[in-house]
Amino acid sequence: IMLVCEKHMITFRLVPDILGIMTSSVDLQNIAGMSLVGIKDPPLYYLSNRIIKRVMDIAGSLCAFVLLSPAFLVCAALVKASSRGTVFYTQERVGEDGKRFMMYKFRTMHTDAEQKTGPVWAKKDDERCTPAGVIFRRYNLDELPQLFNVLKGEMSLVGPRPERPYFVDQFKEDIPRYMARHKIKSGM
């Protein structure tokens, strides 16, 4: 039952059979004389920790923008030179609390690359990649525009990778506790 609740982003509380359950990962509460057991809140549940992390995300992403601005310009020029289409690619992802957002990347594939196949995992030596895209993926340069997502507050510099809704629907059924990663902000 706890795993089903977690898949649907529902907080659960359990009425214990034994009242003395106290460990580092268990939270014991008393509501109207009834003892409830749950998992302790993670550190980022507390507002002060979230503020500190947000300030670090903003400062870090702004510094990265300044330092990497030449790389952004070179990457944009390479995308335009290697194939037709837009420089940036947006893709829907699932983030904190199961909310969907559009994640930014440098485009590494030809336009409409998944039109025939639908959502599929990218693979090594993927024929759908542009010449620049092969280099970008090897060095993760395609991920740089996600600094915009960090500034917007949709992502963090550090956190679990966000995935597409199509795959999240599969993973939450197949991987125990998969949805727990959505209790915090996704990371680059």
Side-chain angles (χ1 to χ4, degrees):
I1 292 172
M2 291 189 301
L3 292 177
V4 171
C5 286
E6 192 172 74
K7 284 179 189 177
H8 298 284
M9 303 300 295
I10 298 169
T11 302
F12 63 88
R13 295 286 184 237
L14 173 71
V15 178
D17 292 334
I18 302 170
L19 294 179
I21 301 174
M22 297 287 257
T23 67
S24 61
S25 63
V26 175
D27 179 33
L28 185 62
Q29 295 179 0
N30 188 308
I31 299 177
M34 183 180 293
S35 295
L36 301 175
V37 175
I39 296 175
K40 280 192 178 182
D41 295 322
L44 288 176
Y45 177 80
Y46 301 102
L47 181 61
S48 59
N49 291 342
R50 290 176 80 89
I51 290 171
I52 292 169
K53 184 168 176 63
R54 183 70 184 129
V55 167
M56 291 173 65
D57 282 343
I58 291 170
S61 57
L62 287 174
C63 288
F65 270 126
V66 171
L67 295 173
L68 298 173
S69 57
F72 267 87
L73 294 173
V74 169
C75 288
L78 287 172
V79 170
K80 275 307 215 186
S82 72
S83 67
R84 63 178 180 79
T86 61
V87 170
F88 296 106
Y89 174 70
T90 59
Q91 190 175 65
E92 187 177 41
R93 296 294 177 112
V94 178
E96 185 177 24
D97 294 329
K99 292 178 186 158
R100 295 176 182 210
F101 68 96
M102 297 307 288
M103 186 173 79
Y104 305 112
K105 297 179 96 170
F106 280 119
R107 188 172 52 79
T108 60
M109 293 187 179
H110 296 285
T111 55
D112 302 323
E114 289 186 333
Q115 189 172 13
K116 294 177 186 173
T117 62
V120 293
W121 285 101
K123 56 187 179 221
K124 187 175 179 171
D125 300 323
D126 199 327
E127 63 277 354
R128 301 172 300 163
C129 281
T130 64
V134 172
I135 296 166
F136 289 0
R137 286 180 172 214
R138 182 175 300 136
Y139 298 103
N140 295 318
L141 296 173
D142 58 322
E143 312 286 347
L144 290 178
Q146 291 167 31
L147 291 168
F148 290 114
N149 292 109
V150 174
L151 282 176
K152 287 173 63 178
E154 298 166 330
M155 292 179 71
S156 180
L157 292 174
V158 177
R161 289 294 298 159
E163 194 47 76
R164 295 192 282 178
Y166 176 85
F167 294 116
V168 170
D169 290 340
Q170 292 176 359
F171 296 158
K172 73 180 182 182
E173 298 302 326
D174 299 336
I175 302 171
R177 305 213 64 235
Y178 176 78
M179 292 306 287
R181 69 181 45 219
H182 296 282
K183 289 287 188 185
I184 61 172
K185 215 172 267 188
S186 301
M188 285 185 62

